[in-house]
Structure formats: C-alpha cells, structure tokens
Amino acid sequence: ETGVTQSPTHLIKTRGQQVTLRCSSQSGHNTVSWYQQALGQGPQFIFQYYREEENGRGNFPPRFSGLQFPNYSSELNVNALELDDSALYLCASRPGLAGLDTQYFGPGTRLTVL
Amino acid sequence: AQKITQTQPGMFVQEKEAVTLDCTYDTSDPSYGLFWYKQPSSGEMIFLIYQGSYDQQNATEGRYSLNFQKARKSANLVISASQLGDSAMYFCAMREGTGTASKLTFGTGTRLQVTL
C-alpha cells in the first residue's frame, strides 16, 4: 500500500450536478496530482498542487478545479458534470517538485455520470 | 505526436516464462524519467520501476527490469519468471524536465495475461 487514500471509492451522479473527490497524500509528500482515466485509456493529467497552489494543469476545462490544504490533502471539484466525465479519478503524491522522484497513486474514485 | 507509445494492446505469457512489454517515447528534453506502473482490475496504479535519462545502467527491481535504449527511445519492461498475479494492465509513463509542472504522460497500456 502506498499510503495515499481517496474517497469515496465509487460515486454516481447525474448530468449537470457537481462532485467533490478527496485525496490524502502519503506522509511527507507535499505535491499532489490528479489524473482522469477513461475506460480503456491511460491516465490523463488534470492538474498538480504544490504547497496549496496549483502549479500545472492539463487540457481540462475550468469546471475542473481543486484545492490543497495545509496538511497537503487535496480535493478535486467538477461542476456541471457531463456524461464524458465518467472515469476513474486517480490522485498521486510525491515528496516535492525537485528531481524526477516517483509518484505514488491512490486506489482511485470511480465516477459514473448518468 | 504520441509521447508514449505502447504497441501491444494485449500479451499472453505462460507462467514462469519471461515477457517483454514494449514502450517507445518521444521527447526533446535531455532530462526525463521513465516509469512503469501495474494496474490490476482494482484500479490502483502500482509503481514498478524507474529509469532516469542520465542513468548509465538499466534499472532492476526484483523480477522487473527495464531495457533502456536511449538512442532508440525505447524503455521496454521485462518481467522474468511470470506469475499468475502478474496478470494486469501495464502502463509506461514519462516525466519530462524537473521542478514545476512536471506531469506524467502515460501510454495506452498493455494487458498482460499469465496462463498456466
């Protein structure tokens, strides 16, 4: 186990609703990244947080937003849900920004949008 | 252009045999890292092995080794002595540069099935 936890494990929402997903990073890790993995695809980078600030973003619209808290846990918020938002959402943490250190992933939250 | 290419959608291997999963990458950054992750049906991405672009030797971690051919831009994963528990999706990923906003870019994955 990596020490990265995510909640909830599964979630069902309807189109147009809003959702919040949560991630607790591994102890000592101050950098958290979020990824979206559609069925049959590799994960796609959404954004990254370092010391409570967003410092990198992938090709996702502004309705995908996030937060990082002083304890380095993080939230992913998605507004105005669309059917294509159905995916596995993965959170990953690593010790810092310097170097090419490894990211450790949580178990993911599986979101279904009906 | 795809940054990470995994050309094998699915692979079969017999238990106790070795298997190679292919990965090629594309980058102009001299500093990058290559990763392999295993994803069982449960969904969690499990880190297997890492190779830095400046590393002189191929990385090894137990039964996993990375065949790094820099000139060919390939980073193939070799699993020796396959076990039934190795059946899963395997993803190759790359991080370019260091420091801020250095994200992982993943390939489309290879599904490995280990048979008796």
Side-chain angles (χ1 to χ4, degrees):
Chain A
E1 295 218 346
T2 64
V4 180
T5 61
Q6 292 186 243
S7 63
T9 53
H10 294 85
L11 202 52
I12 299 175
K13 291 285 189 178
T14 56
R15 201 167 38 176
Q17 285 189 310
Q18 178 265 344
V19 69
T20 297
L21 310 182
R22 294 178 175 83
C23 170
S24 291
S25 60
Q26 186 167 326
S27 178
H29 289 189
N30 57 20
T31 304
V32 173
S33 301
W34 285 92
Y35 292 80
Q36 180 196 65
Q37 187 179 17
L39 198 61
Q41 302 293 320
Q44 298 288 317
F45 175 72
I46 302 174
F47 45 56
Q48 174 176 274
Y49 278 83
Y50 171 65
R51 293 187 174 178
E52 303 179 57
E53 291 197 3
E54 182 182 303
N55 78 326
R57 190 177 184 92
N59 190 24
F60 281 82
R63 59 189 186 84
F64 286 79
S65 63
L67 283 174
Q68 187 178 31
F69 300 99
N71 66 355
Y72 304 132
S73 65
S74 178
E75 286 183 355
L76 164 66
N77 299 291
V78 187
N79 293 322
L81 283 167
E82 301 176 0
L83 296 179
D84 285 350
D85 296 334
S86 295
L88 180 67
Y89 288 84
L90 295 161
C91 162
S93 74
R94 57 189 179 108
L97 290 178
L100 294 167
D101 47 290
T102 300
Q103 287 188 119
Y104 293 94
F105 284 80
T109 293
R110 196 167 295 277
L111 173 65
T112 302
V113 182
L114 302 175
Chain B
Q2 293 290 328
K3 291 215 169 187
I4 295 285
T5 302
Q6 294 182 254
T7 57
Q8 305 154 313
M11 291 280 287
F12 286 88
V13 64
Q14 277 196 317
E15 196 180 19
K16 301 178 187 176
E17 298 293 310
V19 63
T20 298
L21 306 184
D22 295 341
C23 172
T24 58
Y25 60 92
D26 183 26
T27 181
S28 56
D29 197 319
S31 178
Y32 55 90
L34 297 158
F35 301 79
W36 278 91
Y37 285 87
K38 172 185 178 181
Q39 188 177 43
S41 55
S42 60
E44 184 170 357
M45 299 288 281
I46 301 168
F47 167 71
L48 296 177
I49 197 166
Y50 163 78
Q51 180 84 41
S53 58
Y54 296 118
D55 293 343
Q56 295 296 313
Q57 293 190 326
N58 287 344
T60 60
E61 290 284 350
R63 295 186 299 111
Y64 304 108
S65 60
L66 200 152
N67 184 0
F68 181 46
Q69 298 189 40
K70 196 169 182 176
R72 294 186 176 186
K73 294 189 174 179
S74 75
N76 298 338
L77 176 70
V78 181
I79 306 174
S80 62
S82 296
Q83 302 171 355
L84 294 177
D86 293 335
S87 295
M89 283 292 290
Y90 288 81
F91 289 95
C92 179
M94 176 174 64
R95 178 181 295 130
E96 297 168 275
T98 59
T100 60
S102 53
K103 64 178 183 179
L104 281 179
T105 301
F106 285 84
T108 52
T110 296
R111 181 171 297 281
L112 178 65
Q113 187 70 43
V114 181
T115 61
L116 290 170

